[in-house]
Amino acid sequence: MTGHEPGGQVPVLMYHAVADEPSAATRRLSVTPRALDEQVTFLAESGYTGMTFSELARAFATGAPLPPRPVVFTFDDGYADFAESAWPILRRNDFPATVFVTTGWVADAGPDASGKPLGPMLTWAQVRSLAAAGVEIGAHSHSHPELDQCPAVDLADELHVGRTLLEDCIGAPVRAFAYPFGYSSPRVRLAVRAAGYRCAAAVANVWANPAGDLFRVPRLTIRRHTDAAEFATIMTGSERIFWTDRMLTTGWAAVRAARRARKRVGRNG
Ligand SMILES: [Zn+2]
């Protein structure tokens, strides 16, 4: 064994678009199909076993034994290139995946369209056929707002509508959620639990811990500049590599709260 899995910790990888020519808005957090292929091959050759996000959460909740060297692949937003580029690579290597779909962004959302998709998105038919092929479909809100800054009514709506549309599409319960932008708060996590979800994915750039909060499962950000060496370092469980990211995420929540407070003052006064 080259890596270490201290205390049964598990790497949960977070991807977005997988494309050679991603939209400008998705570029920074995208990877090329070739990079994904290299990363997947590296994990397959290193003896990793894939789990869906819900399978991991269930194992954490029940204390069921984890497979050897578990890893979870997650893809946020529901970009069309998941079906075209990412899934064939994963399937070829026997890795399952969880796709967190923003329902208002679905390509043929029609009257349900909401928010501003950042690139070409999956269609409902694609979501259905991915689910039929064994991909776990999770929810990612309806319009992709910063949930920690949402009024209670909008928050409940975002959590309910997203889940209902997905369940209608795939004909199965949707139990996993991912916070848009990774932003949550105690109030948001409580609402997600109340909306019937069983687990939720955050972004904290540390490995997931069986003793951690199932509504705040941390994920590791994989992006365009993640090269093979950095990916290998991430997979050793080294946390140093993400230190700057974590500082930014923590600081940014305070900035956004201040901005919102200023807006409120501006409106009232
Ligand atoms: Zn997102």
Side-chain angles (χ1 to χ4, degrees):
M1 300 285 279
T2 49
H4 62 282
E5 289 89 34
Q9 293 185 46
V10 176
V12 181
L13 307 175
M14 178 182 69
Y15 293 86
H16 288 77
V18 180
D20 283 316
E21 303 289 343
S23 68
T26 62
R27 185 171 182 86
R28 197 176 56 87
L29 284 178
S30 70
V31 298
T32 63
R34 189 199 163 103
L36 178 68
D37 201 344
E38 284 169 3
Q39 292 161 6
V40 167
T41 304
F42 170 79
L43 295 180
E45 286 173 354
S46 308
Y48 278 88
T49 312
M51 304 177 80
T52 66
F53 186 75
S54 283
E55 284 169 351
L56 177 69
R58 220 168 14 246
F60 278 179
T62 61
L66 294 167
R69 310 202 85 180
V71 64
V72 179
F73 283 91
T74 69
F75 293 79
D76 282 14
D77 300 340
Y79 296 106
D81 52 49
F82 176 81
E84 292 146 14
S85 301
W87 181 231
I89 295 170
L90 291 161
R91 192 176 39 187
R92 195 162 60 236
N93 290 278
D94 268 337
F95 282 112
T98 300
V99 178
F100 293 108
V101 177
T102 303
T103 44
W105 289 9
V106 170
D108 51 351
D112 293 321
S114 187
K116 277 197 218 128
L118 299 178
M121 307 307 294
L122 293 168
T123 63
W124 282 122
Q126 284 176 308
V127 172
R128 194 174 302 117
S129 76
L130 287 169
V135 172
E136 176 180 35
I137 303 298
H140 193 43
S141 83
H142 185 55
S143 71
H144 208 278
E146 297 177 355
L147 290 177
D148 58 338
Q149 315 283 324
C150 268
V153 182
D154 296 356
L155 174 58
D157 252 22
E158 288 284 346
L159 299 176
H160 176 74
V161 173
R163 181 167 160 214
T164 309
L165 289 174
L166 288 173
E167 290 182 341
D168 287 351
C169 171
I170 66 173
V174 168
R175 298 298 193 205
F177 186 81
Y179 305 106
F181 311 102
Y183 298 152
S184 77
S185 63
R187 177 181 71 103
V188 170
R189 292 192 285 276
L190 214 59
V192 168
R193 188 189 293 261
Y197 296 98
R198 299 260 168 83
C199 52
V203 185
N205 291 316
V206 291
W207 285 29
N209 185 326
D213 182 350
L214 286 181
F215 287 85
R216 206 181 189 180
V217 177
R219 293 184 294 168
L220 305 156
T221 313
I222 309 299
R223 60 187 98 214
R224 207 155 187 92
H225 72 54
T226 309
D227 61 16
E230 186 181 336
F231 187 80
T233 308
I234 291 169
M235 296 308 299
T236 64
S238 169
E239 296 188 358
R240 240 180 350 188
I241 200 150
F242 286 117
W243 186 82
T244 321
D245 271 10
R246 274 207 297 284
M247 293 301 289
L248 286 173
T249 308
T250 314
W252 187 230
V255 171
R256 288 182 302 115
R259 193 178 62 196
R260 191 170 60 121
R262 267 201 307 278
K263 263 196 243 160
R264 219 169 22 229
V265 169
R267 260 204 306 276
N268 296 341

